[in-house]
Amino acid sequence: MISHTYQRILLKYSGEAVAGDEDQGIDPKVLHFMSKEIKSIVDRGVCVGLVIGGGNLFRGEKLNKDGMDRVAGDHMGMLATVMNGIALRDALERDGIKTRVMSAIPMPGIVEHFDRRIATQLLEAGFVVIFTAGTGNPFFTTDTAACLRGIEIGADLMLKATKVDGVYSDDPNLNKDAEFYPSLTFDDAIDKKLKVMDTTALTLARVNNLKIKVFNFRKEGGLLDIVNGKKLGTLISNG
Ligand code: UDP
């Protein structure tokens, strides 16, 4: 097996990422691109666990603002992540990648129920395992689920995919003077209130020493460069 800087990763895609340039729905072209990127590291022996969001379809907080009960909205949000996971599995399998989808909420006949030991065994056997339905609980985000699953599978890195090159002091699409941070500590990310991830996710990663890399998922070859230790994106760690 080829030796990489990172041998086991947890990759987190937001729901908006799979929507491509549209705000809603699922763009098959984006799924195909993601699949090619994932294949480039799976073929080199890297173990890949994946968490997918659901914001392209439903978000509990937004539904709640529009008048729906928050828990009902969060249940819809979690179900949305399962739909995205099924779509991503389809794209990966079409590219010849062995893939399984697990859900934190049991859904027999559609996807498997999350089981950490089985997930770890599948990863070691070369399967990509997509973890869906977040943590299975309302009031959490899929970023928190990504940190949780990353810790559970013993990932050496959690990779959070974004549409910009990493973490900035401000939105680089709106402010050309926004400062890029090549690295940050968890304390910095929390204290500076940078909109990179919610505090629950950052705190969970900090306490369990799970390193996070925020990177631009649209850059071709980016995933392979990162697992090979190239200095792309922003690394968040305990310093
Ligand atoms: N969600 C939840 N519990 C979890 C993870 C997600 O209730 O553990 C719900 C929540 O309503 C959230 C939605 O699922 O808004 C979609 O997840 P998220 O907003 O994290 O998706 P992303 O922003 O990554 O697309």
Side-chain angles (χ1 to χ4, degrees), residues 12 14-15 53-55 58-60 74 77-78 134-135 137-142:
K12 158 76 205 302
S14 67
F58 295 111
R59 276 216 170 88
D74 280 344
M78 285 188 273
T135 62
N137 296 290
F139 302 104
F140 286 95
T141 62
T142 49

Side-chain angles (χ1 to χ4, degrees), residues 220-236:
E220 205 171 340
L223 268 186
L224 185 58
D225 283 345
I226 289 170
V227 299
N228 281 329
K230 288 212 180 135
K231 292 200 181 347
L232 287 182
T234 301
L235 185 68
I236 313 177

Side-chain angles (χ1 to χ4, degrees), residues 1 7-9 35 38-50 92-93 95-101 117-130:
M1 187 190 289
Q7 206 62 49
R8 184 177 299 206
I9 61 158
S35 170
I38 293 167
K39 191 166 170 48
S40 74
I41 58 172
V42 171
D43 284 351
R44 288 169 170 83
V46 176
C47 295
V48 181
L50 229 147
L92 295 177
E93 285 184 338
D95 281 332
I97 306 172
K98 296 183 293 180
T99 310
R100 301 284 268 269
V101 179
R117 288 187 67 247
I118 295 175
T120 308
Q121 287 161 4
L122 287 167
L123 289 171
E124 282 161 7
F127 284 81
V128 168
V129 184
I130 306 175

Side-chain angles (χ1 to χ4, degrees), residues 10-15 51-54 59 81 134-135 140-151 158-162 195-205 210 212 214:
L10 189 295
L11 181 57
K12 158 76 205 302
Y13 287 123
S14 67
V51 165
I52 187 134
R59 276 216 170 88
T81 72
T135 62
F140 286 95
T141 62
T142 49
D143 281 347
T144 299
C147 292
L148 177 64
R149 297 298 182 233
I151 295 159
M158 195 281 248
L159 273 160
K160 180 178 157 74
T162 64
K195 290 192 187 100
V196 47
M197 248 182 227
D198 59 279
T199 316
T200 310
L202 287 169
T203 307
L204 185 64
L210 174 72
I212 297 174
V214 182

